[in-house]
Amino acid sequence: WAMDLCGTGWLKDNRIWHTLAGWKDIYASYLEQASETGHFDVIFVVDEAAESIVGQPSFNGISGSLLSSFRFSAYRAGISFAFAEISDVASGLFPDGKLYIFLNPYRICSDTAKKLREQLADKSAVWMYGFGMTAPDDVSALTGMEILPCAPGTTQLIPNAYAADLGFAVPALFQNVTHRYASASGTPLGTYADGTAGAFTQNGRNIFWGGTSLSAENIRALAHLCGVHVYTTEEDAFFTDGKFAVYAAMEAGTKTVLLPDGTNLTCECSIGETVYWDLCSKQIIS
């Protein structure tokens, strides 16, 4: 089946299909223990309809940072995660997440906002960048914060000592900034270069992050803030649903994965090597 790779060429290379065939036994092993839908700690929430008001190519500008390049950080954060469409989250199809990161919350209607409040009642949520056409009353109800428009531009977010202790990178460059935090209560995480609040949290549950990107390091810091387990701090590619894990080494060396029960799984990897773990039996699948 000849597929196109985002306009960069046809995948008519036999090595691709030979590689896929080699995964047959790994996939069969996964199916043996995949008796139910996977569970993910962090849900990256995308609103496909919201992109209609951005007006930029998907690989540039706002969308490029929030939706395309963001995946690079997600796979290197060492967490259990999934991407979900906002309507599915509002409908209750992803009820098991601990942390929901809303990548483009700038076109949330009041009906969706009401459903999200119900789904997020005992969860943590991060609100990225700004809110665009989302009504201010819905913004306040969703976040518990007053978040106001500010003069757009490029600036730095300078984390404070509290944020640095959590592991946030210092500093982070924010492009296309449009909103700032304006509430009187809560805990600041950092300020823009002009001193206004660009990152804030309310009780570690609702977090406003005024930029269009999050590094793997900052995703891990958010996980620590919200009580989400981090499996590895190595910035290799990692993915798990809690039962099965895939680890692709970006550098050679001893790799360690920490399970929620405190067990350490280790293996030696060469550059580019991929390891598959059955986390139930705690064995490598070859």
Side-chain angles (χ1 to χ4, degrees), residues 80-165:
S80 167
F81 73 92
F83 282 87
E85 220 284 325
I86 194 169
S87 60
D88 290 335
V89 175
S91 299
L93 298 182
F94 288 85
D96 299 320
K98 298 177 181 178
L99 171 61
Y100 295 75
I101 300 180
F102 290 81
L103 300 181
N104 57 342
Y106 33 78
R107 199 177 184 179
I108 302 176
C109 67
S110 293
D111 181 59
T112 299
K114 180 177 182 295
K115 293 177 180 177
L116 287 174
R117 290 199 303 273
E118 294 171 354
Q119 296 298 325
L120 300 173
D122 58 348
K123 311 290 186 179
S124 294
V126 176
W127 307 91
M128 297 282 295
Y129 177 54
F131 293 90
M133 296 176 64
T134 304
D137 287 347
D138 289 327
V139 173
S140 297
L142 282 168
T143 68
M145 298 181 271
E146 184 182 8
I147 302 170
L148 301 178
C150 65
T154 298
T155 185
Q156 285 185 326
L157 177 80
I158 305 170
N160 56 25
Y162 173 66
D165 286 344

Side-chain angles (χ1 to χ4, degrees), residues 73 146 175 261:
S73 297
E146 184 182 8
Q175 294 179 309
D261 66 4

Side-chain angles (χ1 to χ4, degrees), residues 44 61-74 101-103 126-130 155 157 168-169 171-177 198-199 208-219 222:
F44 294 106
I62 299 169
S63 297
S65 295
L66 286 169
L67 304 183
S68 182
S69 302
F70 202 95
R71 290 174 296 178
F72 183 92
S73 297
I101 300 180
F102 290 81
L103 300 181
V126 176
W127 307 91
M128 297 282 295
Y129 177 54
T155 185
L157 177 80
F168 284 94
L173 179 65
F174 281 5
Q175 294 179 309
N176 305 311
V177 167
F208 169 62
W209 186 264
T212 57
S213 62
L214 276 170
S215 65
E217 184 179 5
N218 286 339
I219 293 174
L222 287 169

